[in-house]
Amino acid sequence: MDIASAPRFPRLDAVDPADVARDRGIDPLAYLPDMDVTDSPVLGELLDRAAAFDFDAVGQADVRAALAADRLSPEGFGALLSPAAEPMLEELAAAARNARRRWFGSTAYLFTPLYLANYCDNHCVYCGFNRDNDICRARLDADGIVAELDAIAATGLEEILLLTGEDRARTDVAYIGEACKLAAERFRMVGVEVYPMNEDEYAYLHACGVDYVTVFQETYDPVLYGKLHLAGRKRVFPYRANAQERALRGGMRGAAFGALLGLGDFRRDALACGLHAWLLQRAYPHAELSLSCPRLRPIVGNGSLGPRDVGERQLLQVMCAYRLLLPQAGITISSRERAGFRDEVMGIAATKISAGVSTGVGEHAGEEEAGDDQFEIADGRDVSQVRAALRAAGLEPVMNDYVRL
């Protein structure tokens, strides 16, 4: 693929003025004054590659060539995501299973998310935390954080992912940092999934005990991105897209990527997401990278939301392609999916599974005034149930593979 001549997404030439007018003149492509500008070619290259790839030109011979390759190229990765590869899903799954066994054996990692707050300053049309939604808002204080952490630790989990809505006023960096310190006292692995930050802020969180950062780009289509994010700092597409690189520069050991499949063209979004991780792995070979595969789910006030054109077969195809592109990367299967499907893909492509999940605030310790959920989950099993299911599938549940000295 000739990157120099590759067609660019429309957003690189023009921005719809109506999109800018929706929220105090925030241009989805322009950094705000307090945002770090990342001097990296990664975003431009991944967008060019994703835009240029022609899925319709892929035939089954191209898919077989990709499956036979010793090392999958970006073009081969695109072939595995193509419509031509879907009828060959059993072959993709067999190749993915072999790669998983080679690099991860029978291990299956467990974790759970903990929502610290659901206040948000963004208006994302697909999210339950949308600032215009009439939901019960809550923020845990220090005592509430400790109660939640202790309740989760009692289940035997040793890895936790701390989340907030994207509201810098109510959940500032210092608040998140204090929560991370409390988590690091109780868990061997601490991740955060919060609003994108500057490099020095990521360095601060790392000093507070954070090991990795998760940022979902939602969609890599810049035009669609501006139309889905109607207000708030999340409107700034490149600042979000470069968050993982700033986190790695800030000292984080790992970073996780994800596109919310079903918002746009899921094949192109998956292509861009995989390329994002692939390019950063080349730029930061020491980094421990992982991919998440969430599908769009119903939210409070909109139960009709769902993953457009992305059934379980298509989701499995994406996960198998991810596994073959980045055989050493972690892949997380979300509680958005039904239990049986999650258990099955853990033996094929995924390496990490959440258990005992709540997407609301203050629900692990049984608080009466819990904040409303971000989205509906499909798998509500507790930790013991997930562990039993993994063992029944021939996998060995692992709580942690890292000891902080």
Side-chain angles (χ1 to χ4, degrees), residues 131-402:
R131 72 185 194 185
D132 291 344
N133 280 357
D134 183 17
I135 65 172
C136 177
R137 306 281 179 175
R139 189 192 83 154
L140 298 175
D141 59 16
D143 290 341
I145 294 172
V146 168
E148 291 285 288
L149 291 171
D150 287 346
I152 294 169
T155 67
L157 291 174
E158 297 182 20
E159 178 178 343
I160 193 162
L161 178 64
L162 303 180
L163 301 93
T164 67
E166 299 195 12
D167 188 326
R168 276 183 168 261
R170 293 182 177 89
T171 53
D172 60 18
V173 177
Y175 168 83
I176 296 171
E178 290 304 308
C180 293
K181 292 176 185 177
L182 293 170
E185 293 173 357
R186 294 162 172 81
F187 295 85
R188 291 189 177 183
M189 183 89 75
V190 178
V192 293
E193 187 178 331
V194 295
Y195 47 80
M197 296 181 178
N198 290 337
E199 185 176 325
D200 63 332
E201 293 170 324
Y202 282 129
Y204 166 72
L205 291 188
H206 180 59
C208 292
V210 178
D211 298 288
Y212 67 94
V213 169
T214 296
V215 180
F216 289 172
Q217 187 60 27
E218 319 299 10
T219 179
Y220 282 83
D221 179 340
V223 173
L224 178 61
Y225 185 95
K227 296 183 183 302
L228 292 174
H229 303 96
L230 306 183
R233 293 169 62 90
K234 191 172 178 177
R235 278 177 59 77
V236 183
F237 177 89
Y239 184 68
R240 189 173 191 86
N242 285 317
Q244 286 93 343
E245 188 158 6
R246 292 193 304 275
L248 294 175
R249 291 180 178 185
M252 293 295 176
R253 186 162 58 87
F257 307 75
L260 184 51
L261 303 177
L263 286 176
D265 179 345
F266 81 91
R267 297 185 194 278
R268 204 163 300 278
D269 271 336
L271 175 64
C273 185
L275 290 176
H276 194 178
W278 183 79
L279 288 166
L280 279 187
Q281 187 74 84
R282 291 167 58 126
Y284 301 87
H286 64 281
E288 297 180 15
L289 304 184
S290 62
L291 292 149
S292 292
C293 306
R295 289 193 299 168
L296 190 61
R297 289 285 295 170
I299 61 173
V300 174
N302 191 346
S304 65
L305 282 178
R308 179 169 57 90
D309 301 326
V310 194
E312 289 183 351
R313 285 183 59 84
Q314 290 76 28
L315 179 56
L316 178 58
Q317 180 184 356
V318 169
M319 298 179 74
C320 290
Y322 282 164
R323 171 55 58 220
L324 295 172
L325 176 69
L326 293 163
Q328 299 178 62
I331 297 180
T332 300
I333 180 64
S334 172
S335 59
R336 296 166 185 260
E337 306 304 329
R338 65 180 179 85
F341 179 78
R342 298 178 85 208
D343 296 343
E344 182 179 3
V345 299
M346 282 298 295
I348 298 173
T351 56
K352 183 181 286 190
I353 186 169
S354 52
V357 174
S358 162
T359 66
V361 180
E363 296 180 347
H364 292 280
E367 296 292 335
E368 293 184 1
E369 296 183 4
D372 282 343
D373 293 354
Q374 185 179 25
F375 56 86
E376 293 182 7
I377 64 173
D379 184 0
R381 292 177 297 175
D382 63 23
V383 175
S384 63
Q385 291 172 318
V386 172
R387 291 179 69 174
L390 291 172
R391 287 201 171 101
L395 298 172
E396 182 57 36
V398 175
M399 297 304 182
N400 179 56
D401 67 347
Y402 179 78

